[in-house]
Amino acid sequence: MLKVGLTGGIGSGKSAVARRLVERGAVVIDSDRIAREVVAPGTEGLAEIVAAFSDRVLDATGALDRAALGALVFADETARRRLEAITHPRVRARSAELAAAAGPDAIVVNDVPLLVEVGLAATYHLVVVVQTEVATRLARLERDRGMARAEAERRIAVQADDARRRAAADVVLTNDGSLADLHAAVDALWDERLRPYEANLRERRAVPSGRVVLAEADPTWPQQYARLAARIRHALAPADPRLDHIGSTAVPGLAAKDVIDIQLTVPTLADADGPLADRLAAAGFPRLPGEWWDKPRPPGSGRWEKRLHGSADPGRPVHLHVRPADSPGWRYALLMRDHLRADPDQRSAYLALKRELAASAPDSATWTTAKDPWFDEEHLRAEQWAAQTGWRP
């Protein structure tokens, strides 16, 4: 099933997004609701909270006084972490039970207010962040929840800020307009990304490459790589293989096809098959069919075999190259990246070639072949640079 993490700061309108996703057919697991269930009267969770914070956090009926508990923990990081250690494992366990009960073709959305703060982003196929201006959030909290402004400001201050949430977000939904605007954005996300992603994931189908379109250098490409790499590491845990951002999107300032190239290092190609391939597919990176190899440089030597995976996410094309450690193709990918990072003249020359070819050879096969002569020469320059600088992969 497709697992989506939904988060946003208090007062951002995250609940409105969740409700719309339910209307469109998603299975929404509300972490706030579960958090209340696991500390209901008579539960072990409530007993442990009382043991940690005393019966001052109980109301007259013996139920948890959330306001009293909030007053204790929101001003005290140590106390808040003690509370999280009690509630978070229970919430995760109950969330896993509910997800397991959903159908195999379900789109399961986990509504998690502290998703970023507790480091859960890598556990989802996609993270959606609802972002709203702080002034708007404060007004909503005062108007809709009757929260004093000082308390609302304190609650916002202890959560992750917008920059930290954006770094974890695959999708940012801005909610500074009307409810109709928000619904339109959610509907577009559902129709154009979530439903196709779920179908691709279930069928283990990668998004096909299209025509070559150069995108101007995007300063967020490294950040996007970091999210993808974290997802791959989570899928392959407890193993901790080497991952590298390679290709043009790894070279600052270089226009490129908007495809994130990642190199996953394995001991041998045999290690790339079987369980590893299955785990990658389940994480949203299915193997591309057929045999794959890199053209050797210098020409004439045996072909450099590899495994190639793509992305099931239609909104984020990926090429995941699985190569054996210290193999010629593995070394070449790292050398080309590092030489282009270090040599502005060759970076400019490569950019000029890319712009010329994008106009004259827009299909992927022709694009790759047409670059070969330049890369044959660049390989020699890069090897000289490596010898002069003592470069190591």
Side-chain angles (χ1 to χ4, degrees):
M1 64 185 68
L2 182 68
K3 296 180 290 185
V4 179
L6 172 66
T7 194
I10 185 171
S12 64
K14 174 175 55 63
S15 296
V17 172
R19 286 192 294 271
R20 186 61 172 181
L21 287 168
V22 169
E23 292 173 2
R24 295 307 308 268
V27 175
V28 172
I29 298 174
D30 186 338
S31 292
D32 266 350
R33 181 177 300 173
I34 295 172
R36 289 190 290 272
E37 291 176 1
V38 300
V39 295
T43 62
E44 293 181 0
L46 181 59
E48 196 169 340
I49 287 175
V50 172
F53 298 101
S54 84
D55 58 8
R56 291 179 300 163
V57 298
L58 297 178
D59 64 18
T61 69
L64 182 65
D65 186 335
R66 297 177 70 85
L69 180 61
L72 286 175
V73 303
F74 277 105
D76 184 339
E77 183 176 353
T78 301
R80 187 172 72 254
R81 293 191 182 280
R82 187 186 311 163
L83 174 64
E84 290 170 354
I86 296 169
T87 59
H88 288 180
R90 291 177 167 85
V91 171
R92 285 196 292 269
R94 179 56 179 154
S95 297
E97 290 177 3
L98 294 172
D105 60 349
I107 297 174
V108 177
V109 177
N110 287 264
D111 180 346
V112 187
L114 298 179
L115 182 153
V116 174
E117 290 84 343
V118 298
L120 293 177
T123 66
Y124 301 102
H125 293 105
L126 201 75
V127 171
V128 178
V129 168
V130 186
Q131 180 174 293
T132 308
E133 293 291 339
V134 171
T136 303
R137 293 164 61 192
L138 288 169
R140 288 175 181 168
L141 292 171
E142 290 182 89
R143 181 191 67 223
D144 301 335
R145 303 194 194 183
M147 193 177 291
R149 188 174 186 87
E151 177 66 11
E153 290 175 341
R154 184 163 60 250
R155 299 256 181 141
I156 289 174
V158 299
Q159 292 185 336
D161 60 20
D162 286 344
R164 189 175 167 196
R165 286 198 193 90
R166 281 195 301 271
D170 300 287
V171 177
V172 175
L173 294 176
T174 302
N175 185 27
D176 292 307
S178 67
L179 184 61
D181 292 336
L182 182 63
H183 282 179
V186 174
D187 290 348
L189 172 64
W190 179 263
D191 293 331
E192 298 169 14
R193 194 160 184 180
L194 298 187
R195 286 186 63 192
Y197 195 170
E198 185 282 321
N200 290 340
L201 185 69
R202 179 164 29 91
E203 298 295 332
R204 296 196 166 192
R205 181 175 58 224
V207 177
S209 298
R211 290 170 59 86
V212 174
V213 178
L214 279 186
E216 292 305 314
D218 184 342
T220 72
W221 277 333
Q223 195 174 74
Q224 293 180 53
Y225 157 76
R227 289 197 297 270
L228 296 164
R231 215 160 266 152
I232 293 167
R233 286 194 177 93
H234 177 76
L236 300 182
D240 187 20
R242 175 171 175 173
L243 288 162
D244 290 281
H245 187 190
I246 60 170
S248 292
T249 61
V251 180
L254 189 60
K257 293 183 296 180
D258 189 16
V259 179
I260 303 296
D261 282 277
I262 301 172
Q263 180 165 272
L264 169 61
T265 302
V266 292
T268 70
L269 272 185
D271 296 292
D273 302 325
L276 183 142
D278 290 339
R279 288 186 177 190
L280 290 174
F285 304 96
R287 176 175 291 179
L288 295 175
E291 295 184 354
W292 296 89
W293 59 89
D294 301 306
K295 181 178 178 180
R297 288 182 171 83
S301 55
R303 69 186 188 184
W304 298 343
E305 291 188 52
K306 65 179 178 181
R307 302 291 185 262
L308 185 62
H309 291 243
S311 172
D313 177 6
R316 178 62 275 163
V318 172
H319 287 157
L320 176 57
H321 309 259
V322 185
R323 297 185 175 106
D326 300 315
S327 63
W330 176 89
R331 181 182 184 279
Y332 176 80
L334 299 171
L335 174 60
M336 292 300 100
R337 178 199 65 187
D338 290 351
H339 184 233
L340 287 174
R341 284 176 173 176
D343 191 327
D345 291 337
Q346 293 309 315
R347 193 163 61 242
S348 297
Y350 183 38
L351 177 57
L353 174 67
K354 284 160 68 97
R355 293 195 188 283
E356 178 184 344
L357 294 179
S360 61
D363 65 282
S364 294
T366 306
W367 163 270
T368 301
T369 302
K371 291 192 297 181
D372 279 343
W374 189 87
F375 269 106
D376 287 339
E377 296 181 3
E378 166 60 10
H379 175 249
L380 298 176
R381 289 188 293 264
E383 288 290 4
Q384 291 173 353
W385 170 80
Q388 292 168 357
T389 62
W391 174 87
R392 293 291 182 272

